[in-house]
Amino acid sequence: MTEYNHLEVEKKWQKKWSESKIFESKEDSKKEKYYCLEMLPYPSGNLHMGHVRNYSIGDVYARFHRMKGKNVLYTAGWDAFGLPAENAAIKNKIHPAKWTKQNIARMREQLKSLGFSYDWSRETATCDPEYYKWTQWFFIKMWEKGLVFRKNANVNWCPSCQTVLANEQVSNGVCWRCDSHTEHRDLEQWFIKIIDYADELLEGHKQLGGWSEQVLSMQKNWIGKSYGTEVDFKISVSGKNLKIFTTRPDTIFGVTFMVVAPEHEIINELKSKIKNYEQVAQYILASGRKSNIERASSKEKTGIRLEGINALNPATRKEIPIFTADYVLTGYGTGAIMAVPAHDQRDWEFAKKFDVPVIEVIKGNNSDISKHAYEDEGILVNSGEFSGVKSADAFDVVSSWIEKQGFGKKTVNFKLKDWLVSRQRYWGAPIPMIHCDNCGIVPVSEKELPVLLPEDVEFTGAGESPLKTSKTFVNVKCPKCGKDASRETDTMDTFVDSSWYYARYCDSHNDNAPFDSVKANYWMPVNQYIGGIEHACMHLIYARFWFKVMRDLGLVKYDEPFTNLLTQGMVTLGGSAMSKSKGNVVSPDEILPKYGADTARLFILFAAPPQKQLDWSSDGIEGCWRFVNRVWRLFDVVNTKSIAAASQKDKDDILRTMHKTVKKVTSDIEKEFQFNTAISSIMELVNALYSYKYHANDDGVSLEVYKTLILLLAPITPHLCEEIWEKLGNNECISIHAWPVFDESMIKESSIEIPIQINGKLKGRITVSADVPEDEVKKAVNSDEKISAYLKDKQVVKFIYVKNKIVTIVVK
């Protein structure tokens, strides 16, 4: 056979797959379905080997289950909205749509060159009006269900870019785009009430047995459910209540001051009453330049008292001071805390710094509140009628007392907050709402969807949403009363777009609905979802929430969208994750011309288990290239006649190795996610075939083994295997051929070696037939000259035979 020409072979089979449309999928109730999906990529313009790893894993699963006879849905699309495209428009004077479509075309070409078995007929881009029409439709449906609302919110603001930033776009208090210090501002923003599903998102973890405990734990902590008590502390100058949430109602008698976040609404409401408001305002400005992480983790506790206003401790009826401090965040609880310095070290340090009283209300062994806070359990003291109660018992009794007194109630709190989806940018799905002076906020009529992004906008990089610069977009008639009104100019967070795309794939070209429910209920849930663990607490929570909303809208019948989740490790170069900003990207364009797609796929799957980090190695890719060529040359080897004929034992041995390999590879792919060990087993089978001396003179046994080898390797190196399969005389593509089945009876060894242990020491070994009875083993032991010499003149006290494993003899 000629030398392996990977360029020619890969181009040939990619063309055949495309023309034959063998990877296109349709619903078939007679076949078991298998939905395999990777998290959809952002079209940045070029793939790197980190992408290749993710998609290679998915393609192996899709090809494997297709060969196992399942009806496989495996497709691709693009998370195509977002700030990078808008930045490119500003920088390069190119429309975001054009920039995005160019990148999609480039990356689609790269994906096809790697031989991934996608059903390209279902391809979707979230920036297509045909897609975001239904994103807008969902927004309106959530508005109708009370899940969408607008409110004044404290947000990250970049004074240089003049725009709101998401939390993930602020690092160490500076804007990711221009490095300006960010501020916190109150703005009218759109929210989705994900908090309404917080309990169900936690309860749903019980159905996710195919997810890692690490991801579930990360989600649990992110959602952050805690049981406690809401308590109202009355403000002296206004009569209004300052509401707090506490998990320690048993310490309420020890509250000596209150602390509110710098963004808390009470400061603005009472600024005329705060005697030192100018100093407070300066402190708020300085706090706004810090990230939440900096504020929460700083060892130095800063703050300033709100002079002129106090709160009333409802338990002691004593007035206590109110401070604002940046270690209190608006993202948890109510943005205000009751401070109990005797029993919270953070509060103790603050009280000592600002000379606030420390009152002990829990007495414990060796407690000394003059030196530090006492945070363990003990007996309540200085707590009115509850003095003498064990602190472990006090939660319920004090909570009940607070409720009876009318200044609080038991409640549940979550760290998870309602999802802020407003973005002041152009390249996103327009929010389909209209502001009317007469009717208020009114949704766009469904028949008018999609609300298209206008073309006549200015991309300046500063100011508010570019949509405000389009008069043709902004000015509209109210759909309710017909009077002049204005469109909403915020667009949606891109996490909205990626929260439901997996369902659209089930019916990606439906013009009348987001998808047909019958089709979605056939394909959903996704059997295997693949993506990075960095998405555990945003995308994966949002997608689970969205699926539950779709269920409640009657569109799907299941509770969870993804049955199994694999979070693959990063591909690194020199120990650092590949990224364009670091300049350490290895592109498939560098690898494919020299080594080919199959070699790249083989290396990326063989170098490390999928969950582990993989460091790119030039030596490793060379080794995989040599293996590909060994498999290619093996075609000639198995078709070369040998001088000697194979004995039955020779044939049984090579067939036994084949069946063992089929069993191992099947298990490693199907159950263990261990592609590296599966490939290692295939390599051992290749070595066995090269060592076998009876090719083409053994009744076709070695040819049978070679065919099985090619079938096992087909999901991993599909182009190579298709070409060999055709040369072996097969007309059907190997990609849709049945997966090989192992014969359990062939795996068993005909003879086995048994170690013989006498008085705890290994004295020899015997060879016997597998599964031989114990009396036959005894005969073999006694017949062995070396073992019988040890037993001469000895009394056998015990003879223990562990079947097919070991013989233990005790003598005296």
Side-chain angles (χ1 to χ4, degrees):
M1 196 156 58
T2 58
E3 289 295 311
Y4 181 55
N5 186 332
H6 66 274
L7 294 173
E8 182 181 296
V9 168
E10 290 176 0
K11 185 177 180 180
K12 167 187 171 180
W13 286 103
Q14 287 162 18
K15 186 172 184 288
K16 282 196 173 187
W17 293 332
S18 177
E19 290 175 349
S20 64
K21 300 180 180 181
I22 65 169
F23 301 133
E24 290 189 9
S25 48
K26 290 181 172 56
E27 299 74 30
D28 185 349
S29 59
K30 296 178 182 178
K31 293 181 72 175
E32 180 184 356
K33 68 91 181 179
Y34 188 85
Y35 187 176
C36 182
L37 181 65
E38 305 108 4
M39 294 180 186
L40 80 173
Y42 180 78
S44 58
N46 282 289
L47 299 178
H48 58 66
M49 297 312 293
H51 297 113
V52 175
R53 188 185 202 194
N54 191 15
Y55 310 137
S56 294
I57 291 168
D59 193 51
V60 169
Y61 275 116
R63 288 178 175 275
F64 171 77
H65 285 283
R66 201 178 281 119
M67 293 176 73
K68 292 276 282 184
K70 296 177 185 176
N71 188 21
V72 173
L73 172 56
Y74 182 54
T75 187
W78 311 97
D79 192 10
F81 275 137
L83 274 172
E86 195 158 335
N87 292 343
I90 296 166
K91 181 179 178 181
N92 303 317
K93 308 298 183 184
I94 183 174
H95 195 279
K98 185 176 180 181
W99 184 86
T100 301
K101 288 175 181 177
Q102 287 175 350
N103 289 351
I104 286 175
R106 171 74 186 117
M107 292 175 72
R108 184 191 299 116
E109 178 187 354
Q110 288 181 303
L111 290 172
K112 288 185 176 181
S113 72
L114 285 155
F116 299 133
S117 58
Y118 292 129
D119 177 356
W120 285 105
S121 71
R122 295 173 182 262
E123 181 184 9
T124 296
T126 60
C127 66
D128 291 339
E130 296 80 11
Y131 182 87
Y132 71 74
K133 168 185 178 178
W134 300 109
T135 303
Q136 294 170 339
W137 182 85
F138 278 121
F139 192 91
I140 293 171
K141 291 302 173 187
M142 290 188 191
W143 165 267
E144 292 171 353
K145 287 177 66 68
L147 290 173
V148 163
F149 65 99
R150 198 166 185 257
K151 72 171 183 178
N152 196 57
N154 189 266
V155 295
N156 301 303
W157 177 264
C158 176
S160 174
C161 298
Q162 293 289 295
T163 188
V164 167
L165 301 175
N167 286 335
E168 61 268 22
Q169 294 162 350
V170 179
S171 178
N172 296 320
V174 300
C175 172
W176 71 292
R177 182 163 58 181
C178 69
D179 290 331
S180 297
H181 281 283
T182 58
E183 303 171 357
H184 288 277
R185 289 194 178 183
D186 287 332
L187 293 174
E188 283 284 320
Q189 300 285 281
W190 287 96
F191 290 82
I192 294 177
K193 293 183 71 175
I194 191 172
I195 192 69
D196 283 8
Y197 285 76
D199 265 324
E200 193 179 345
L201 287 168
L202 286 172
E203 190 67 20
H205 285 169
K206 294 176 182 177
Q207 298 182 41
L208 302 179
W211 289 39
S212 74
E213 284 299 321
Q214 183 182 8
V215 172
L216 297 181
S217 178
M218 289 170 70
Q219 286 200 358
K220 183 177 180 180
N221 291 333
W222 184 271
I223 295 168
K225 184 176 184 178
S226 57
Y227 297 88
T229 305
E230 278 186 354
V231 183
D232 292 328
F233 286 73
K234 196 172 293 295
I235 306 299
S236 57
V237 296
S238 69
K240 290 187 175 182
N241 288 325
L242 180 59
K243 191 179 295 294
I244 63 93
F245 171 82
T246 180
T247 59
R248 295 296 308 276
D250 53 309
T251 64
I252 192 169
F253 288 87
V255 177
T256 58
F257 64 100
M258 309 287 291
V259 186
V260 298
E263 303 83 14
H264 200 286
E265 59 187 14
I266 189 178
I267 298 176
N268 188 56
E269 288 178 3
L270 300 178
K271 64 182 179 181
S272 63
K273 306 286 186 182
I274 300 172
K275 295 179 179 179
N276 60 336
Y277 182 75
E278 288 187 10
Q279 291 91 338
V280 171
Q282 289 297 315
Y283 180 81
I284 292 170
L285 184 63
S287 298
R289 292 173 179 157
K290 298 179 184 179
S291 69
N292 284 351
I293 294 174
E294 287 177 295
R295 288 168 56 174
S297 62
S298 176
K299 291 183 179 180
E300 182 185 3
K301 298 296 179 283
T302 65
I304 185 170
R305 182 172 177 176
L306 307 182
E307 294 180 5
I309 65 171
N310 293 316
L312 186 70
N313 183 329
T316 64
R317 310 302 297 171
K318 293 180 180 179
E319 285 198 356
I320 54 177
I322 303 174
F323 291 80
T324 184
D326 60 13
Y327 71 84
V328 178
L329 305 175
T330 56
Y332 182 71
T334 64
I337 65 166
M338 67 177 207
V340 187
H343 305 293
D344 183 289
Q345 188 61 26
R346 181 187 59 180
D347 294 344
W348 186 91
E349 292 169 4
F350 193 92
K352 291 298 180 182
K353 182 173 181 176
F354 291 95
D355 195 26
V356 180
V358 178
I359 298 175
E360 184 176 41
V361 292
I362 297 177
K363 191 74 174 177
N365 294 330
N366 304 316
S367 60
D368 186 353
I369 62 170
S370 66
K371 295 180 180 178
H372 54 76
Y374 179 73
E375 297 180 322
D376 293 332
E377 293 184 358
I379 303 297
L380 266 60
V381 296
N382 301 317
S383 298
E385 65 186 84
F386 303 106
S387 295
V389 176
K390 292 181 180 179
S391 60
D393 302 327
F395 178 95
D396 286 330
V397 293
V398 175
S399 293
S400 297
W401 176 76
I402 288 172
E403 284 193 323
K404 287 179 181 178
Q405 296 299 313
F407 57 82
K409 62 179 181 178
K410 293 180 184 177
T411 188
V412 175
N413 193 65
F414 295 92
K415 288 182 183 177
L416 180 71
K417 293 302 174 187
D418 287 323
W419 181 6
L420 193 161
V421 295
S422 290
R423 296 293 180 267
Q424 289 70 38
R425 63 169 185 257
Y426 171 81
W427 197 233
I431 292 176
M433 307 300 280
I434 291 171
H435 300 272
C436 175
D437 290 338
N438 185 50
C439 303
I441 298 175
V442 182
V444 171
S445 170
E446 288 184 24
K447 66 182 180 181
E448 300 297 324
L449 297 179
V451 177
L452 295 170
L453 285 167
E455 295 289 331
D456 58 332
V457 295
E458 296 177 22
F459 297 105
T460 63
E464 296 178 305
S465 169
L467 294 181
K468 287 191 174 182
T469 67
S470 171
K471 292 182 179 179
T472 60
F473 179 84
V474 173
N475 299 323
V476 68
K477 296 293 184 182
C478 173
K480 194 171 183 181
C481 70
K483 294 183 178 180
D484 289 343
S486 60
R487 288 194 191 278
E488 173 61 56
T489 55
D490 282 356
T491 53
M492 293 187 218
D493 178 13
T494 55
F495 279 111
V496 170
D497 310 314
S498 60
S499 291
W500 72 279
Y501 75 101
Y502 48 86
R504 180 67 174 177
Y505 282 157
C506 298
D507 189 19
S508 58
H509 302 297
N510 194 325
D511 294 329
N512 301 312
F515 48 82
D516 180 85
S517 290
V518 174
K519 292 180 179 180
N521 286 324
Y522 172 78
W523 291 114
M524 294 299 299
V526 173
N527 295 81
Q528 185 64 62
Y529 200 35
I530 303 161
I533 199 168
E534 67 272 16
H535 298 292
C537 293
M538 296 187 78
H539 164 64
L540 285 169
I541 288 180
Y542 295 146
R544 293 181 59 221
F545 157 75
W546 206 279
F547 193 72
K548 294 175 189 302
V549 172
M550 292 193 295
R551 176 204 62 197
D552 292 346
L553 289 171
L555 296 173
V556 293
K557 63 182 181 181
Y558 302 103
D559 297 325
E560 293 289 341
F562 315 120
T563 303
N564 297 290
L565 173 70
L566 174 65
T567 52
Q568 86 285 353
M570 294 184 297
V571 177
T572 60
L573 185 64
S576 297
M578 288 187 184
S579 77
K580 291 181 180 178
S581 62
K582 294 178 182 177
N584 67 340
V585 168
V586 175
S587 168
D589 294 346
E590 302 171 42
I591 305 301
L592 268 57
K594 184 176 181 180
Y595 299 109
D598 284 344
T599 300
R601 293 164 57 117
L602 181 69
F603 170 74
I604 214 81
L605 294 166
F606 178 57
Q611 301 94 332
K612 303 294 184 182
Q613 178 176 302
L614 184 157
D615 199 43
W616 183 260
S617 163
S618 298
D619 292 339
I621 196 79
E622 282 282 355
C624 288
W625 169 243
R626 289 193 296 270
F627 174 73
V628 165
N629 281 276
R630 287 194 83 207
V631 174
W632 176 257
R633 291 192 299 271
L634 199 51
F635 178 89
D636 289 333
V637 173
V638 298
N639 285 286
T640 301
K641 287 198 173 184
S642 55
I643 297 172
S647 67
Q648 190 60 47
K649 181 180 183 304
D650 295 325
K651 291 187 284 188
D652 287 347
D653 286 346
I654 194 73
L655 286 170
R656 185 174 297 108
T657 302
M658 179 192 77
H659 284 281
K660 282 184 175 180
T661 306
V662 173
K663 182 178 182 179
K664 180 74 164 64
V665 172
T666 303
S667 177
D668 283 352
I669 293 177
E670 194 167 36
K671 299 176 182 177
E672 304 297 332
F673 302 111
Q674 299 301 321
F675 306 115
N676 57 322
T677 56
I679 293 168
S680 181
S681 296
I682 294 171
M683 288 177 172
E684 290 175 8
L685 184 58
V686 169
N687 291 338
L689 271 172
Y690 268 104
S691 300
Y692 186 70
K693 305 298 183 184
Y694 312 101
H695 302 291
N697 200 14
D698 63 355
D699 302 318
V701 169
S702 65
L703 187 59
E704 178 189 348
V705 175
Y706 186 50
K707 286 181 178 179
T708 301
L709 163 69
I710 300 307
L711 286 166
L712 294 176
L713 202 52
I716 298 161
T717 58
H719 309 88
L720 170 74
C721 295
E722 288 280 17
E723 185 69 9
I724 293 173
W725 191 249
E726 184 181 69
K727 289 183 180 297
L728 287 169
N730 298 286
N731 295 322
E732 182 187 55
C733 283
I734 198 171
S735 297
I736 54 175
H737 191 277
W739 185 255
V741 178
F742 62 89
D743 183 345
E744 191 70 53
S745 67
M746 284 295 298
I747 292 173
K748 295 179 179 179
E749 299 286 351
S750 58
S751 61
I752 54 175
E753 192 175 60
I754 302 291
I756 310 300
Q757 189 173 270
I758 300 176
N759 285 355
K761 293 182 179 180
L762 183 66
K763 294 299 184 180
R765 300 175 185 273
I766 59 170
T767 300
V768 296
S769 298
D771 299 324
V772 69
E774 185 174 324
D775 58 343
E776 292 295 326
V777 174
K778 284 183 178 180
K779 288 180 183 179
V781 168
N782 293 326
S783 300
D784 186 277
E785 291 184 9
K786 187 177 179 181
I787 302 300
S788 61
Y790 283 114
L791 298 176
K792 189 177 181 181
D793 301 326
K794 302 283 196 313
Q795 180 185 352
V796 176
V797 178
K798 286 184 180 179
F799 184 98
I800 303 170
Y801 172 51
V802 179
K803 190 175 182 180
N804 295 337
K805 298 287 186 181
I806 192 172
V807 169
T808 299
I809 302 173
V810 179
V811 299
K812 65 177 183 179

